[in-house]
Amino acid sequence: SISMTSNSSIRSNTSICRDSEDRPGKRVPVETHFIVVVDISGSMCEFDCKQDGFKTGAISRIDAVFNEVRQLVDLNGVRAGCDDRMSFITFSETATIHFQEQPLEKAAKLLNGMQRPKPMG
């Protein structure tokens, strides 16, 4: 499973890993379909999230979420080499499906080309 921690960081646990067949004791990522659902209600405008690498200042909740989603789709990150897929949905009063079951490489391009949703409500 994937979770957002209070300091705005996506963490994955070992349930999306398996034992390596050729390297005993080594855990390797399992292909995963990440379904990312992002709240874009008015509360996401709050500037109360600490930005990594900065001692002062804060970023909005929506900026913090998008920064973490970008890290998830980073093709050089911990998920590199996996055949992962992503679906991306936003919601406030209604939900919008932006894309479904896209490979992470394409998801990264779609996210980079997408205007960051403006919090509503």
Side-chain angles (χ1 to χ4, degrees):
S1 69
I2 299 293
S3 62
M4 285 287 288
T5 63
S6 60
N7 67 351
S8 180
S9 182
I10 293 178
R11 304 278 184 233
S12 62
N13 68 24
T14 57
S15 66
I16 55 175
C17 292
R18 63 174 170 72
D19 291 326
S20 173
E21 294 173 9
D22 57 339
R23 295 176 65 192
K26 174 79 174 157
R27 305 280 291 164
V28 294
V30 173
E31 290 76 16
T32 303
H33 178 190
F34 296 99
I35 302 172
V36 178
V37 182
V38 178
D39 176 4
I40 60 168
S41 66
S43 66
M44 296 301 283
C45 290
E46 295 291 328
F47 280 79
D48 58 0
C49 293
K50 182 180 174 188
Q51 188 171 4
D52 288 340
F54 293 90
K55 292 183 180 184
T56 60
I59 60 174
S60 71
R61 293 174 182 175
I62 194 80
D63 287 333
V65 169
F66 268 79
N67 289 346
E68 295 301 324
V69 171
R70 278 194 204 96
Q71 284 182 14
L72 180 65
V73 299
D74 178 6
L75 299 176
N76 297 315
V78 69
R79 306 293 305 166
C82 275
D83 190 23
D84 293 334
R85 298 192 164 276
M86 177 182 280
S87 296
F88 188 80
I89 303 162
T90 57
F91 73 93
S92 182
E93 294 177 11
T94 61
T96 302
I97 300 171
H98 296 274
F99 56 84
Q100 296 181 64
E101 296 188 54
Q102 296 298 316
L104 283 191
E105 184 174 351
K106 184 164 185 188
K109 289 177 184 176
L110 291 168
L111 287 168
N112 286 333
M114 178 187 302
Q115 277 194 339
R116 180 166 299 153
K118 302 219 183 313
M120 314 184 316

